Amino acid sequence: MKMHFCIPVSQQLPDALGGRYTLYSVYLDGFLFCRVRYSQLHRWNEQLRRVFGNCLPPFPPKYYLAMTTAMADERRDQLEQYLQNVTVDPNMLRSDVFVDFLKRVQLDTFGITTKKASLDIFLPDGRSIQAEILTSDTVERVLEVVSHKIGLCRELLGYFGLFLIRFYKEGKLSVMKKLADFELPYVSLRSSEVENCKVGLRKWYMDPSLDSMLMDCRAAVKLIYMQDIEKEWAKPTQLQRQKLEALQKEDNQTKFLELSQEVQHYGYMQLDPCTCDYPEPGCGAILSVGNNEISCSITLPDNQTQDIIFQMNRVKCWQVTFLGTLLDTDGPQRTLNQNLELRFQYSEDSRWQWFVIYTKQAFLLSSCLKKMISEKMVKQAAENPEMQIEVPEQGKSKKYHIQQSQQSQSQKDYSSFRPRKSKIKIAEVDCVLGNIKEEGL
């Protein structure tokens, strides 16, 4: 699936020869990832093409004359689409030529050199372990270091991830984003500019039944046990709570997790309080995402609450939109966590309807929705080995990033993951971020 790459900002800067060049600010999941020139991306594309041939998406052409404003906007849009499309192929994501370039531009953007460093990795119970790493180590490498230190089976690393997490004094936490495998945790943390932000290790799957895959690893059981009890995102009944507390006193982690499977919202990701437009504009909402559903606890204007569940198999598509501008006195800001919305199209009463959620965690929410879809597809493929999953051909679409999840009556037909075109929202002074759209399941 495509990643949430976007280029909302470009700047014209003078070069050493008296000319000018364009510097593009590339964001990933709402955080500034790097700043690069067209020439850097062009050389990278040539390197990728020598390895992967013509399977690469089209790269925007060179211009040998001065570009008009329209041409500059078109190039920026094309570079954005290129970055999104090039991340579809998992083999490309794991290649040295892909990872090495992105490591270099991350380090260069934030002026960090490769050197030895200590990085605190926070566990779900709030404790931290110190990982001895290089500043240029990727998430994948840091996870290997951490897993060795805590005794986590290496083959289970795919069930966990590193996250940027904001911790509050009262013990609460807010998950800001999941770090991609090729990101540099040391650099991402230093560049986040989020107060009390830390790198945390957490499980990364939305289907609670996948706990069963980890039960033979003591360290894995301990991690998901800590993650379950460190917050009150799950909603046990009074009887369930009493049984869980008894098992907790006995330190019977396996039985605790088995019983937790029956608890409402167990294993879900809970977002910070936000607002939505359902059943009327301006309603407060708390979202819990997991187990193929979006569960919303909505506070109505009269302070009454209403619980609504949106099933993922009735979600057709969604899109993330940035509603503001990115300029301040010091240049482009490093996060897009303000003025974000996620809207999704949902089948209700035999008709499609759009629902809008205004949340600074819109990119995280989108990542959770993508994760639920990918887990569902893997599960269906395992149940039916003859099932074929069709992936749209790269480079064919002019639309970029609108995530599809509608499933046909026949579980073998995934061609119903169709993109939906959306309007671009224009801001001032070349700071444009349209709909961060998803397609290409």
Side-chain angles (χ1 to χ4, degrees), residues 38-39 42-43 46 59-65 67 71 75 78:
Y38 171 86
S39 58
H42 185 272
R43 286 193 296 270
E46 292 300 311
F59 191 81
K62 285 185 176 181
Y63 292 120
Y64 295 95
L65 300 176
M67 290 189 296
M71 294 166 67
R75 169 176 280 185
Q78 290 172 343

Side-chain angles (χ1 to χ4, degrees), residues 260-304:
S260 295
Q261 293 282 335
E262 304 171 10
V263 175
Q264 183 186 19
H265 294 174
Y266 166 72
Y268 285 37
M269 178 78 77
Q270 183 172 300
L271 274 60
D272 297 344
C274 58
T275 59
C276 64
D277 72 343
Y278 183 86
E280 55 185 286
C283 290
I286 295 179
L287 272 61
S288 298
V289 189
N291 203 21
N292 288 311
E293 67 180 29
I294 308 169
S295 178
C296 304
S297 178
I298 296 175
T299 302
L300 303 174
D302 59 4
N303 288 326
Q304 291 187 337

Side-chain angles (χ1 to χ4, degrees), residues 151-154 156 213-223:
L152 178 63
C153 301
R154 190 165 180 172
L156 299 179
M213 306 297 293
L214 284 66
M215 287 298 145
D216 292 335
C217 177
R218 186 181 183 90
V221 170
K222 188 173 182 179
L223 282 172

Side-chain angles (χ1 to χ4, degrees), residues 197-322:
C197 187
K198 306 179 189 300
V199 177
L201 174 68
R202 306 176 69 79
K203 68 178 183 182
W204 178 233
Y205 51 89
M206 310 304 295
D207 181 356
S209 68
L210 291 176
D211 279 1
S212 61
M213 306 297 293
L214 284 66
M215 287 298 145
D216 292 335
C217 177
R218 186 181 183 90
V221 170
K222 188 173 182 179
L223 282 172
I224 57 179
Y225 172 76
M226 287 190 293
Q227 187 163 327
D228 183 50
I229 66 172
E230 51 90 14
K231 52 186 167 29
E232 295 190 358
W233 291 358
K235 309 295 181 185
T237 63
Q238 186 61 35
L239 179 59
Q240 288 173 332
R241 186 181 296 277
Q242 292 173 356
K243 291 182 178 179
L244 289 170
E245 289 175 350
L247 292 171
Q248 187 177 349
K249 289 179 181 178
E250 298 172 7
D251 198 26
N252 193 332
Q253 298 177 3
T254 302
K255 290 291 185 182
F256 182 96
L257 292 172
E258 289 175 356
L259 177 58
S260 295
Q261 293 282 335
E262 304 171 10
V263 175
Q264 183 186 19
H265 294 174
Y266 166 72
Y268 285 37
M269 178 78 77
Q270 183 172 300
L271 274 60
D272 297 344
C274 58
T275 59
C276 64
D277 72 343
Y278 183 86
E280 55 185 286
C283 290
I286 295 179
L287 272 61
S288 298
V289 189
N291 203 21
N292 288 311
E293 67 180 29
I294 308 169
S295 178
C296 304
S297 178
I298 296 175
T299 302
L300 303 174
D302 59 4
N303 288 326
Q304 291 187 337
T305 58
Q306 181 178 351
D307 293 330
I308 302 172
I309 294 178
F310 298 98
Q311 298 292 339
M312 281 302 295
N313 59 2
R314 295 169 64 185
V315 174
K316 181 179 181 182
C317 60
W318 68 86
Q319 63 194 39
V320 176
T321 307
F322 175 62

